[in-house]
Amino acid sequence: MKLLEDAILTRGRVKDGDVLKVDAFLNHQMDVPLINELGREFHRLFGDAGVNKILTIEASGIGIACITAQHFGVPVVFAKKTQSRNIDGPVYTSKVTSFTHQRTYDVIVSQSFLGPSDHVLLIDDFLAKGSALLGLIDLVRQSGASIAGAGICIEKGFDVGGKLVRDTGVRVESLAVIREMRDGQVVFAH
Amino acid sequence: MKLLEDAILTRGRVKDGDVLKVDAFLNHQMDVPLINELGREFHRLFGDAGVNKILTIEASGIGIACITAQHFGVPVVFAKKTQSRNIDGPVYTSKVTSFTHQRTYDVIVSQSFLGPSDHVLLIDDFLAKGSALLGLIDLVRQSGASIAGAGICIEKGFDVGGKLVRDTGVRVESLAVIREMRDGQVVFAH
């Protein structure tokens, strides 16, 4: 998606260790009009898939998921990264490793909000190693819900996550796919 | 706001210890069309205040802030609860105590995304003891930005936070104010 690629090229920064910083518009400061266009594109891609719920994971995914949900007219559920006193009753649980924060979290979703009648679109900001998305897929499978697909803003096409997730049979649509980051420059896969 | 009060009465649950669970529509599963009406109301209240940025805190505030930001046409910045490898450069830091999670966090905002030219609307889902909102106010004051006010979905009017925040001079508008929770019943302040 050219609008997102242009934002990455003009407002993103490449740091050591293949870290792409998009905190100016996507995951710390959020350019809401831009994200609304991403939501519109996710709806163009998945609008006929019968989605009745959007599932994401805190924190960066929540805003993107909520704005995308306005195009679908469906609720959002976000997986929480730690057991909270404020979650009561039975939950689905999986594990997600954050390579950014260098730790593994338990992620949970209340069983009240995901079940066999749900057809779920997964939304997240990044797909790199795939741990977060595989954790969400695990939660959906535990619930008996079905998966319409996964809408990703930025996929690191050189990393393993895209293949790992697609090998589970889940349709993944990434709005920007990075082939490589070379000498601080982002090269997109087209 | 009657729409929110009705949602609290019909879909909220009161737990021991004055805990109000609104995870069916506000902070775990998110009823996006309802939240869009909350955003519209925040814009009715603050639309003429010259807001150019919305500041919230992860995680529950992010979706509400993003949907509200669509009514204002401004970006959202969300304060992060832990130092992340993915934040580089100078940050503003404050401390927030979560009574739900029974711990104190460092909350940070990159100095790149908040400064003296900003006139900020603070958005959060709950106001009870006020720790999160006071932390956000501290971050804004450190940045030299000014504060248009705070838009809160649900204020526990019987708790100390509302007075603590209003005593700082910040205008607080809460869409539902709970006077008491008695025998599992929510009583609103009108």
Side-chain angles (χ1 to χ4, degrees):
Chain A
M1 185 188 186
K2 184 170 189 312
L3 184 71
L4 179 56
E5 291 182 353
D6 289 346
I8 292 166
L9 292 174
T10 56
R11 303 163 71 184
R13 288 167 299 126
V14 177
K15 315 290 291 185
D16 293 344
D18 284 342
V19 173
L20 173 64
K21 297 296 305 305
V22 290
D23 57 0
F25 60 93
L26 195 63
N27 53 20
H28 183 23
Q29 179 168 255
M30 304 188 70
D31 180 337
V32 169
L34 170 66
I35 292 166
N36 190 48
E37 294 308 310
L38 307 185
R40 191 187 315 279
E41 179 67 5
F42 286 133
H43 185 258
R44 188 186 68 79
L45 291 163
F46 291 104
D48 60 358
V51 172
N52 74 328
K53 196 162 283 185
I54 290 176
L55 179 66
T56 188
I57 183 167
E58 65 179 28
S60 307
I62 296 172
I64 300 160
C66 284
I67 289 174
T68 299
Q70 291 189 297
H71 293 272
F72 285 82
V74 302
V76 167
V77 174
F78 62 88
K80 301 193 173 205
K81 277 183 177 165
T82 53
Q83 187 75 42
S84 163
R85 255 182 80 210
N86 219 5
I87 289 268
D88 58 347
V91 298
Y92 307 112
T93 307
S94 191
K95 287 196 182 295
V96 167
T97 297
S98 165
F99 295 88
T100 306
H101 299 85
Q102 296 182 301
R103 54 168 291 198
T104 296
Y105 307 88
D106 285 323
V107 293
I108 60 175
V109 168
S110 166
Q111 293 186 16
S112 304
F113 305 132
L114 208 55
S117 64
D118 291 319
H119 193 53
V120 178
L121 175 62
L122 309 173
I123 292 285
D124 208 1
D125 55 343
F126 268 96
L127 172 58
K129 304 243 178 279
S131 180
L133 198 49
L134 291 167
L136 292 178
I137 290 166
D138 181 28
L139 293 170
V140 174
R141 300 250 156 106
Q142 290 176 45
S143 76
S146 53
I147 299 177
I152 301 297
C153 298
I154 303 172
E155 176 178 349
K156 290 180 173 176
F158 55 84
D159 211 332
V160 298
K163 181 177 192 311
L164 288 175
V165 173
R166 291 179 177 96
D167 284 351
T168 70
V170 170
R171 172 187 173 195
V172 179
E173 300 281 359
S174 300
L175 302 188
V177 179
I178 297 170
R179 189 174 73 206
E180 60 179 324
M181 294 190 283
R182 184 178 46 196
D183 309 328
Q185 296 302 307
V186 172
V187 181
F188 294 105
H190 284 130
Chain B
M1 184 187 186
K2 184 169 189 315
L3 184 71
L4 179 56
E5 292 182 352
D6 289 347
I8 292 166
L9 293 175
T10 56
R11 302 163 70 185
R13 287 169 298 127
V14 177
K15 314 291 290 185
D16 293 344
D18 283 343
V19 173
L20 173 64
K21 299 294 305 305
V22 290
D23 56 0
F25 60 94
L26 195 62
N27 53 19
H28 183 23
Q29 180 168 254
M30 304 187 70
D31 180 337
V32 169
L34 169 65
I35 292 167
N36 190 48
E37 294 309 310
L38 307 185
R40 191 188 314 279
E41 179 67 3
F42 286 133
H43 186 260
R44 188 186 68 80
L45 292 163
F46 291 104
D48 60 358
V51 171
N52 74 329
K53 195 162 284 185
I54 289 176
L55 178 68
T56 188
I57 183 167
E58 66 178 24
S60 307
I62 296 172
I64 300 160
C66 284
I67 289 174
T68 299
Q70 291 186 300
H71 292 272
F72 284 82
V74 302
V76 167
V77 174
F78 63 89
K80 301 193 173 205
K81 277 183 178 164
T82 52
Q83 188 74 41
S84 162
R85 251 184 81 209
N86 220 4
I87 289 269
D88 58 347
V91 297
Y92 308 111
T93 307
S94 192
K95 287 196 183 296
V96 168
T97 298
S98 166
F99 295 87
T100 305
H101 298 85
Q102 296 183 298
R103 54 168 292 200
T104 295
Y105 307 87
D106 285 323
V107 292
I108 60 175
V109 168
S110 167
Q111 294 186 16
S112 303
F113 305 131
L114 206 56
S117 65
D118 291 320
H119 192 52
V120 179
L121 175 63
L122 309 172
I123 291 285
D124 208 1
D125 56 343
F126 269 96
L127 172 57
K129 304 243 177 277
S131 182
L133 199 48
L134 291 167
L136 292 178
I137 291 166
D138 181 27
L139 293 170
V140 174
R141 300 247 158 107
Q142 290 176 44
S143 76
S146 54
I147 298 177
I152 301 297
C153 298
I154 303 172
E155 177 177 346
K156 291 180 172 175
F158 54 84
D159 211 333
V160 298
K163 181 176 192 310
L164 288 175
V165 174
R166 291 178 178 98
D167 284 351
T168 69
V170 170
R171 172 188 173 194
V172 179
E173 299 281 359
S174 301
L175 302 188
V177 179
I178 297 171
R179 189 175 71 204
E180 61 179 325
M181 294 190 284
R182 183 178 48 197
D183 309 328
Q185 296 303 307
V186 172
V187 181
F188 295 105
H190 283 132

